[in-house]
Amino acid sequence: MKFFIDSADVNEIRMANDRGWVDGVTTNPTLVAKSGRSFEEVIKEICTITKGPVSAEVISLKADEMVKEGVALAKWADNVVVKIPMCEDGMVAVKKLTSLGIKTNVTLVFSVMQALLAAKAGATMVSPFVGRLDDISQDGMAMVNEVVQVYRNYDFTTEVLVASVRSPMHIQTAALIGADIATIPYKVMQQMTGHPLTTKGIEMFLSDWNKAQGK
Ligand code: E4P
């Protein structure tokens, strides 16, 4: 299972990368705005931290403009993946960018049918948003399970990238389902690291060691 970090904060990305947790990065306009940096500058820097795929999202909503934007984004670095929102124009753009050899990540996917259409258009990755579905009392992980099943039924090569992750349980369930990738906020990666019994065990080992040394 590949882990991407869902962030445009280069300090967080470097920390996660130093811990061996970064196979790629996803950004979106909200995360880039939060970084307070220029889009081009931050994406180019992220692409020097990891050789893995780095998603950069288009802003246009018309197919030909998305393609133009995507072609320009792909020139920023070899590992840029063009993130395209799920919509009809987006599918035209995905088909065209794929034919040009440019990788795509179809974002804002909330149903199995959207994921099926994105795969048929040739998307490299598809991003089902689990947390935002959970927020409206729909089961985000159940949707991911069905997307994985449908892709397996028909041997689609599009990778399932679980997005809008809010908790370690989303990652555990994604791993059990067999999703290809999860993109994870750094805070959730930290939550996945800890266990109260690990903390207690470390303290106990240290205390017993010190007692034996007469400290
Ligand atoms: C990543 O590709 C998505 O843009 C991101 O996971 C969305 O997360 P959010 O629903 O927490 O904003």
Side-chain angles (χ1 to χ4, degrees):
M1 183 183 192
K2 285 177 273 187
F3 279 6
F4 290 180
I5 179 165
D6 198 20
S7 177
D9 177 334
V10 291
N11 295 324
E12 274 185 355
I13 296 168
R14 281 184 206 284
M15 282 194 289
N17 193 45
D18 287 346
R19 286 153 180 71
W21 298 335
V22 175
D23 300 308
V25 179
T26 52
T27 67
N28 62 35
T30 305
L31 293 169
V32 172
K34 209 167 118 192
S35 78
R37 299 179 58 189
S38 104
F39 184 30
E40 182 167 353
E41 183 193 83
V42 81
I43 294 294
K44 284 183 173 171
E45 186 172 343
I46 294 169
C47 288
T48 65
I49 302 172
T50 177
K51 292 274 161 271
V54 175
S55 289
E57 190 159 340
V58 300
I59 299 301
S60 318
L61 293 174
K62 292 267 171 266
D64 52 347
E65 288 164 23
M66 285 186 195
V67 172
K68 210 188 290 173
E69 238 189 282
V71 167
L73 292 176
K75 286 187 182 140
W76 288 357
D78 289 344
N79 49 338
V80 165
V81 171
V82 179
K83 212 170 173 193
I84 305 274
M86 179 66 214
C87 57
E88 285 191 46
D89 276 68
M91 296 304 94
V92 175
V94 166
K95 186 165 185 279
K96 180 68 186 168
L97 290 167
T98 303
S99 76
L100 296 173
I102 294 172
K103 291 189 172 150
T104 56
N105 169 6
V106 173
T107 190
L108 291 163
V109 165
F110 293 95
S111 75
V112 179
M113 290 301 98
Q114 289 180 319
L116 181 55
L117 291 174
K120 285 194 72 69
T124 316
M125 300 165 203
V126 68
S127 292
F129 274 38
V130 295
R132 294 192 197 187
L133 271 181
D134 291 353
D135 288 345
I136 58 159
S137 304
Q138 290 186 23
D139 189 344
M141 290 314 307
M143 190 255 305
V144 170
N145 193 21
E146 289 177 356
V147 171
V148 168
Q149 178 67 56
V150 167
Y151 283 10
R152 279 192 191 139
N153 287 348
Y154 298 102
D155 293 331
F156 282 112
T157 54
T158 304
E159 290 187 293
V160 178
L161 196 180
V162 178
S164 188
V165 161
R166 302 277 161 81
S167 76
M169 275 312 291
H170 279 149
I171 306 305
Q172 183 167 320
T173 311
L176 288 167
I177 288 169
D180 304 284
I181 314 162
T183 187
I184 316 172
Y186 188 61
K187 191 180 129 222
V188 176
M189 290 180 171
Q190 288 180 306
Q191 290 169 338
M192 290 161 68
T193 319
H195 194 287
L197 291 179
T198 307
T199 311
K200 196 175 161 196
I202 291 172
E203 282 167 7
M204 206 188 293
F205 283 151
L206 196 59
S207 146
D208 291 343
W209 180 261
N210 285 336
K211 265 187 240 154
Q213 312 301 308
K215 290 184 191 166

